[in-house]
Amino acid sequence: MMNDVDTIFEAAGGEAGLRRLAEAWHTRVMADEVVSHAFSHGFRPDHTARLAAYWAEALGGPATFTGVLGEESDVVRIHSGNGEHDEMNERAVACFDAALEDAGYAADSPVARTLHDYFAWATWNSMYAFHESAGDVPPGLPIPHWTWSGRARTPTGE
């Protein structure tokens, strides 16, 4: 816990802070010659709002994403079946780190370090778990939640 702030969502500035971060990250990745390839098929006009809502839910905010916009299996499926792409993952995380500063998070702050850890973990784990085939993604996956000490354990211990 950071001072009197219980969740990363609150420390990150709530919905407005995560929307700013999603917009900064999207700008960075669209300018990156490797990562922008992931968007070459197009993307929804509300991509940054959806991304911010997804991050908000994962980081202790409201369950707007799963309540209104979609479920984890849908998100993972979109990111799956593209084969191995280590360089893209590395560059996506680098874009995220730069976007943290663009969005006003001090690089050495606990919230920036925690956001980095969450994004890097999600990039290399959740979003990369089914890189061979989107058809391998099971239905009903829960959004992984992140706390100040890392990935939150589910009641089943996962």
Side-chain angles (χ1 to χ4, degrees):
M1 182 163 64
M2 190 178 101
N3 298 327
D4 292 331
V5 179
D6 290 329
T7 66
I8 301 160
F9 169 76
E10 293 169 319
E15 291 176 13
L18 291 174
R19 178 66 182 263
R20 218 173 29 255
L21 179 57
E23 289 169 355
W25 182 77
H26 190 78
T27 298
R28 288 278 180 173
V29 299
M30 293 308 292
D32 185 280
E33 63 188 31
V34 173
V35 186
S36 64
H37 176 72
F39 295 93
S40 63
H41 63 281
F43 54 90
R44 297 174 60 116
D46 62 348
H47 175 258
T48 55
R50 294 172 68 84
L51 180 59
Y54 178 85
W55 287 344
E57 187 167 339
L59 299 170
T64 304
F65 190 85
T66 56
V68 178
L69 301 172
E71 63 176 39
E72 178 71 2
S73 293
D74 298 329
V75 175
V76 173
R77 208 169 280 117
I78 289 168
H79 293 87
S80 297
N82 299 306
E84 293 184 15
H85 46 79
D86 293 354
E87 181 184 8
M88 184 180 291
N89 286 354
E90 290 168 4
R91 289 174 75 142
V93 173
C95 286
F96 185 82
D97 290 343
L100 284 166
E101 290 193 40
D102 295 344
Y105 300 98
D108 61 347
S109 69
V111 70
R113 286 191 306 272
T114 302
L115 288 168
H116 162 87
D117 291 348
Y118 160 72
F119 187 83
W121 178 87
T123 298
W124 286 100
N125 292 275
S126 291
M127 302 304 145
Y128 200 50
F130 302 96
H131 60 268
E132 291 303 318
S133 173
D136 292 340
V137 178
L141 291 174
I143 288 181
H145 293 272
W146 203 259
T147 69
W148 291 107
S149 56
R151 183 173 178 210
R153 297 287 177 202
T154 66
T156 62
E158 294 177 20

